[in-house]
Amino acid sequence: MVDSNLNAGVGDLAALISRIAQNEGDHSTAIASLSLHRRNMATLPVHCIYQMGLGVVVQGAKEIMLAGKPTHYSAGESLLTTIDLPVVSHVTRASQREPFLGLMLTFDPRMVVQIAALMPPAKSIKEIPPNPLSVEPLDEGLIDALSRLIKLLDEPDLITHLEPLIQQEIVMRLLASNHGPQLRHIATAGSPSQNISRIVGWLKQNFTRPVSMEELAANAFMSPSTFRQHFRAMTGVSPLQYQKKLRLQEARQQMLSKNLDASSAALMVGYESASQFSREYRREFGESPQRDIKRMRLAEE
């Protein structure tokens, strides 16, 4: 009976998403933190930054690659990201008849910290090592809350008042679930995970600036070697590699959306050498900037 209820709930959630995301692509909504996604066929791997939040698949399947390690999740499963991560993502199962359907809900870290402080932990986080990506099955309570959040899009006058309450409920349910220990690693004041999360937030806002590992480590209240160890454990890459990925992805977006040439994009994101930018761009994306942007534009036509 439980499995049939869960399957019915996942099916209802898929119907809600399909009704709004009628065309293939990523669909932003009137709820800024919520986006809905539909793909009619498997996709090529795409470099992107996953923000702190919850990804849910209700039809089809997806693979996320972090530092060369794949994470798979499919219909009826949720993916929790506890820190902003540079990943390679692609849909692995989708068709015209049964398209991939999913959602992404990002979280305000301050809200997570506030709610975690109010709820007693179900498990000791010391017993469970931090993992920036965790996959767990959906449960009926979480499905119900997510469904109500999507249905709220039909009542725009109530979004401002009810959306924060449903978001808080979702975070509470995650804290009480098997995802809970991973959220608590980030929410525990003074923990290595929270300090790394704070540094990641700073890097996202200041990735064009030169960075000193000693300065970053000091701001995280760690020695440089310990800082590098914890940073790599949380993000899959070193601090300098993380900054480089942020720069390259921003440059790629600027070239694609604003028709900038490679040299201008390189200077905009903090590179002093255009040739170094082109070398690192090719290593990251597999092609020169010019060829890569041309390929992406052709794919959009």
Side-chain angles (χ1 to χ4, degrees):
M1 179 64 71
V2 173
D3 288 344
S4 63
N5 288 342
L6 278 175
N7 289 337
V10 172
D12 290 344
L13 194 54
L16 287 171
I17 293 173
S18 182
R19 179 173 61 85
I20 298 172
Q22 296 183 10
N23 301 316
E24 187 173 35
D26 303 322
H27 300 261
S28 57
T29 72
I31 298 173
S33 58
L34 175 67
S35 59
L36 307 178
H37 306 272
R38 182 188 189 112
R39 297 291 186 274
N40 296 331
M41 63 180 68
T43 64
L44 294 173
V46 174
H47 294 255
C48 55
I49 300 290
Y50 266 27
Q51 294 179 263
M52 180 183 186
L54 184 72
V56 171
V57 173
V58 293
Q59 194 164 277
K62 199 169 190 178
E63 179 185 88
I64 311 299
M65 189 79 68
L66 175 65
K69 179 182 177 182
T71 296
H72 303 270
Y73 74 123
S74 56
E77 293 184 316
S78 60
L79 173 82
L80 178 71
T81 310
T82 56
I83 195 170
D84 293 359
L85 294 171
V87 301
V88 180
S89 167
H90 70 117
V91 170
T92 57
R93 188 167 71 244
S95 67
Q96 289 282 350
R97 185 173 181 179
E98 291 191 4
F100 170 89
L101 296 170
L103 66 82
M104 179 64 70
L105 180 65
T106 59
F107 297 138
D108 179 349
R110 294 168 297 180
M111 179 187 69
V112 175
V113 170
Q114 291 168 359
I115 294 176
L118 299 174
M119 296 181 62
K123 300 178 181 179
S124 170
I125 63 172
K126 294 181 180 180
E127 300 171 3
I128 302 175
N131 183 357
L133 292 175
S134 59
V135 175
E136 296 290 345
L138 292 168
D139 60 54
E140 291 182 58
L142 186 57
I143 290 172
D144 176 64
L146 291 168
S147 296
R148 282 185 278 113
L149 187 67
I150 295 175
K151 289 177 181 177
L152 192 58
L153 295 171
D154 294 327
E155 303 179 274
D157 292 342
L158 296 179
I159 288 176
T160 302
H161 306 288
L162 293 182
E163 180 266 334
L165 301 179
I166 301 176
Q167 275 243 37
Q168 290 171 23
E169 178 188 347
I170 289 169
V171 171
M172 288 179 182
R173 291 188 178 279
L174 291 173
L175 285 164
S177 74
N178 288 335
H179 280 306
Q182 300 305 331
L183 272 182
R184 289 188 182 280
H185 277 295
I186 294 296
T188 302
S191 68
S193 296
Q194 189 183 70
N195 288 333
I196 295 298
S197 178
R198 181 167 46 79
I199 297 300
V200 164
W202 185 91
L203 282 172
K204 281 191 68 181
Q205 297 296 320
N206 299 276
F207 61 85
T208 62
R209 293 175 50 181
V211 295
S212 159
M213 289 304 99
E214 289 72 18
E215 180 183 357
L216 292 177
N219 288 333
F221 309 108
M222 302 176 190
S223 69
S225 60
T226 300
F227 172 69
R228 283 193 293 270
Q229 179 183 351
H230 280 292
F231 194 100
R232 184 178 287 277
M234 287 295 297
T235 66
V237 294
S238 71
L240 287 178
Q241 287 172 325
Y242 189 92
Q243 181 197 43
K244 181 176 71 174
K245 287 178 180 292
L246 291 175
R247 286 179 168 183
L248 292 173
Q249 291 203 31
E250 177 63 19
R252 194 188 205 192
Q253 184 59 41
Q254 292 295 325
M255 286 187 289
L256 189 62
S257 63
K258 297 183 179 180
N259 294 317
L260 293 183
D261 59 45
S263 296
S264 299
L267 288 173
M268 177 177 287
V269 299
Y271 277 89
E272 296 180 358
S273 166
S275 59
Q276 180 188 2
F277 168 75
S278 294
R279 287 195 303 271
E280 294 186 351
Y281 191 103
R282 184 188 292 273
R283 282 197 293 267
E284 182 73 6
F285 300 120
E287 292 181 295
S288 68
Q290 184 177 8
R291 287 180 176 273
D292 180 52
I293 298 303
K294 182 178 180 180
R295 176 187 60 80
M296 293 179 70
R297 289 203 175 110
L298 288 172
E300 291 179 345
E301 294 178 355

